[in-house]
Amino acid sequence: MDRKEKILELIKEGYNSVKALSQYFGVSLMTIYRDVRELEKEGKLIRKHGEIKLKTLEDTKEGKEEKNACAYCTKLVDKRLEFIYHLKNGKIRACCAHCGLLLYGNIKEDQVEACMTWDFISGNPINCYSAWYVIGSSAVPCCSPSAIAFSSKEHAENFAKGFGGVVVDFEKGVEVIKELMKRGQRVDIKIEP
Ligand SMILES: [Zn+2]
Ligand SMILES: [Zn+2]
């Protein structure tokens, strides 16, 4: 077994620092440090606050989740409901139209190159600005009061007949959701590269 393999085994046993490992092998800190760096590059371990840990499935999942978090409420984004602003310097992802419409007030309009979400019925991508929204219906797939996007006004109206809520366009939707939330405070928006 080479030293790097042994290091991974020792970490499993509870060795969690370069110092402890160097003492075990009787080699310099630098030598262990080099091995650790290599293992880190290979994605087999992670270093956090000076501690060495084996990289687990959970670590990767955590990373992914962070990337898919809603910029408004930090909820994990469900692909079918996501609402994305494409800006000149990156994108802002919201978990659903509710958060997407709320975020609009925090975004500089001239920075937005495009905004897209998905039609609730067909699942096809649609332009947020030309979409229709049912707000405050009894169907709440994500955040409450819910805002659900449709490509056609007719679909939105039929949906509202069954589940309640008001049918509005983008501009009105921004107003209505803000009114419903009455929170007015600004939030920090995370922009993904
Ligand atoms: Zn959200
Ligand atoms: Zn949501």
Side-chain angles (χ1 to χ4, degrees):
M1 187 187 297
D2 75 24
R3 194 171 55 223
K4 285 201 293 183
E5 274 175 52
K6 186 72 189 164
I7 286 175
L8 291 174
E9 229 183 64
L10 288 169
I11 295 173
K12 232 180 272 178
E13 282 170 33
Y15 285 75
N16 64 358
S17 71
V18 170
K19 197 174 168 201
L21 289 167
S22 77
Q23 277 164 358
Y24 177 89
F25 289 106
V27 296
S28 72
L29 287 170
M30 206 52 226
T31 307
I32 295 297
Y33 187 69
R34 219 176 291 130
D35 289 343
V36 164
R37 278 287 296 275
E38 273 176 37
L39 286 164
E40 195 180 22
K41 268 191 206 144
E42 287 166 27
K44 289 183 177 142
L45 57 80
I46 50 172
R47 284 183 301 154
K48 221 175 182 181
H49 313 302
E51 236 187 74
I52 305 168
K53 287 198 321 187
L54 289 183
K55 192 160 179 174
T56 61
L57 249 178
E58 242 176 277
D59 294 320
T60 21
K61 219 173 95 202
E62 238 174 48
K64 268 189 209 146
E65 281 180 8
E66 202 178 307
K67 220 185 156 205
N68 287 325
C70 172
Y72 193 84
C73 71
T74 73
K75 196 187 281 185
L76 185 58
V77 174
D78 179 341
K79 268 266 172 242
R80 291 165 307 160
L81 298 168
E82 70 181 349
F83 194 103
I84 304 175
Y85 290 99
H86 293 271
L87 308 184
K88 286 174 183 146
N89 60 342
K91 52 187 166 187
I92 294 175
R93 199 189 300 264
C95 58
C96 63
H98 163 106
C99 287
L101 292 171
L102 281 169
L103 276 170
Y104 190 70
N106 302 70
I107 296 170
K108 285 201 185 79
E109 221 170 308
D110 61 349
Q111 289 295 308
V112 181
E113 290 188 321
C115 175
M116 65 85 50
T117 185
W118 308 93
D119 180 90
F120 193 66
I121 293 170
S122 69
N124 290 330
I126 47 175
N127 180 333
C128 303
Y129 297 133
S130 54
W132 292 89
Y133 301 89
V134 175
I135 295 180
S137 73
S138 60
V140 185
C142 191
C143 302
S144 176
S146 73
I148 299 174
F150 298 88
S151 58
S152 100
K153 192 178 186 183
E154 197 193 333
H155 287 167
E157 281 167 349
N158 286 338
F159 187 86
K161 261 179 216 153
F163 296 95
V166 290
V167 177
V168 291
D169 62 10
F170 179 85
E171 227 171 288
K172 189 79 186 151
V174 170
E175 266 174 49
V176 170
I177 202 88
K178 213 188 284 171
E179 190 57 33
L180 287 171
M181 292 296 285
K182 288 254 190 239
R183 42 198 290 174
Q185 87 249 31
R186 291 181 70 88
V187 291
D188 291 325
I189 305 169
K190 204 176 64 199
I191 298 180
E192 295 168 24

